[in-house]
């Protein structure tokens, strides 16, 4: 099994719908992140969490919300999806005690029509 | 916000050629990382650099942490078809990773 699992892998949804992307990890890391990838723009941080009760906005949090239900689970919600939220979304984890970078999931490709 | 500019944006090279790409920032970073993203997958860590001036190798990959702490370089020697993908630099400052815009590498046989 993958260390960082994202579900679903692909999703097509209609404008105005609420959608949740799930992320779970088995690495035992305390920190979790949601990134969005668009062609030519790299990866941009949406939200991050350093512990179960900790939620922080990234550089592009508008239109998104998150929930850290447990140390191993971090979900991203789009309250009312719009077409410009069509993108590839990545969850990542890191260990605050080790400075070795992040471990990424395989991504969720979201299309809003 | 902080910006990391990677160049070139894309490269089309022949198998066996060497590749160089770089990343520059308007801010200082304490750690530089290089990631590779294969099609349909998430980025995977290639090399981590922790000190200004540091030069680190991982097989055919060599990366350097710039002296000013505002830039980093990645070289790939004797490229092979499986080197195809998007390469991202990332700077770590206190507690968040800031990613570059990526360099897309295509290798032709």
């Amino acid at each position: 099994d993958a260390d960082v699992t994202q579900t679903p892998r692909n999703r097509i949804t209609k404008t105005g719908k609420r959608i949740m992307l799930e992320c779970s990890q088995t690495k035992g890391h305390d920190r979790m992140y949601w990134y969005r990838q668009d062609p030519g723009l790299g990866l941009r941080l949406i939200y991050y969490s350093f512990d179960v009760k900790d939620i922080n906005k990234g550089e592009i949090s508008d239109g998104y919300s998150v929930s850290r239900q447990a140390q191993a689970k971090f979900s991203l919600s789009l309250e009312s999806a719009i077409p410009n939220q069509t993108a590839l979304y990545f969850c990542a984890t890191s260990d605050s005690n080790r400075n070795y970078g992040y471990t990424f999931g395989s991504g969720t490709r979201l299309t809003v029509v | 916000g902080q910006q990391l500019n990677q160049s070139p944006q894309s490269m089309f090279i022949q198998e066996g050629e060497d590749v160089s790409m770089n990343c520059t920032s308007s801010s200082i970073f304490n750690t530089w990382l290089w990631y590779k993203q294969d099609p349909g997958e998430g980025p995977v860590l290639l090399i981590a650099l922790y000190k200004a001036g540091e030069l680190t190798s991982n097989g055919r990959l060599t990366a350097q942490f710039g002296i000013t702490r505002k830039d980093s370089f990645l070289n790939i020697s004797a490229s092979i078809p499986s080197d195809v993908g998007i390469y991202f630099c990332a700077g770590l400052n206190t507690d968040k990773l800031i990613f570059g815009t990526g360099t897309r590498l295509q290798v032709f046989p």
Side-chain angles (χ1 to χ4, degrees), chain A residues 11-22:
Chain A
R11 180 73 182 266
I12 300 174
T13 192
K14 291 185 177 179
T15 297
K17 292 289 188 184
R18 183 179 189 275
I19 182 168
M20 180 181 290
L21 309 183
E22 310 262 12

Side-chain angles (χ1 to χ4, degrees), chain B residues 42-58:
Chain B
V44 173
L45 183 65
L46 298 173
I47 292 180
L49 302 156
Y50 301 109
K51 285 195 301 191
E54 180 181 352
L55 188 71
T56 298
S57 293
N58 178 7

Side-chain angles (χ1 to χ4, degrees), chain A:
Chain A
D1 286 343
D3 292 326
V4 181
T5 302
Q6 291 184 234
T7 55
R9 287 298 309 268
N10 291 284
R11 180 73 182 266
I12 300 174
T13 192
K14 291 185 177 179
T15 297
K17 292 289 188 184
R18 183 179 189 275
I19 182 168
M20 180 181 290
L21 309 183
E22 310 262 12
C23 177
S24 63
Q25 53 122 342
T26 58
K27 294 191 72 70
H29 287 172
D30 51 343
R31 299 181 171 189
M32 298 187 74
Y33 311 81
W34 276 103
Y35 280 88
R36 167 178 171 159
Q37 184 179 14
D38 297 279
L41 295 178
L43 291 141
R44 293 180 293 166
L45 184 61
I46 306 172
Y47 270 97
Y48 61 103
S49 168
F50 286 169
D51 203 346
V52 174
K53 292 193 186 339
D54 177 70
I55 300 290
N56 304 282
K57 291 183 177 181
E59 58 180 307
I60 54 163
S61 58
D62 287 348
Y64 302 95
S65 62
V66 291
S67 173
R68 183 84 183 266
Q69 304 95 319
Q71 188 185 42
K73 294 183 184 294
F74 193 36
S75 58
L76 175 72
S77 293
L78 285 68
E79 298 303 325
S80 179
I82 56 177
N84 77 0
Q85 290 178 312
T86 293
L88 192 52
Y89 290 85
F90 286 103
C91 174
T93 71
S94 70
D95 184 339
S96 58
N97 293 317
R98 292 171 172 265
N99 193 15
Y100 296 152
Y102 297 179
T103 300
F104 283 84
S106 296
T108 294
R109 183 168 295 283
L110 176 66
T111 303
V112 183
V113 297

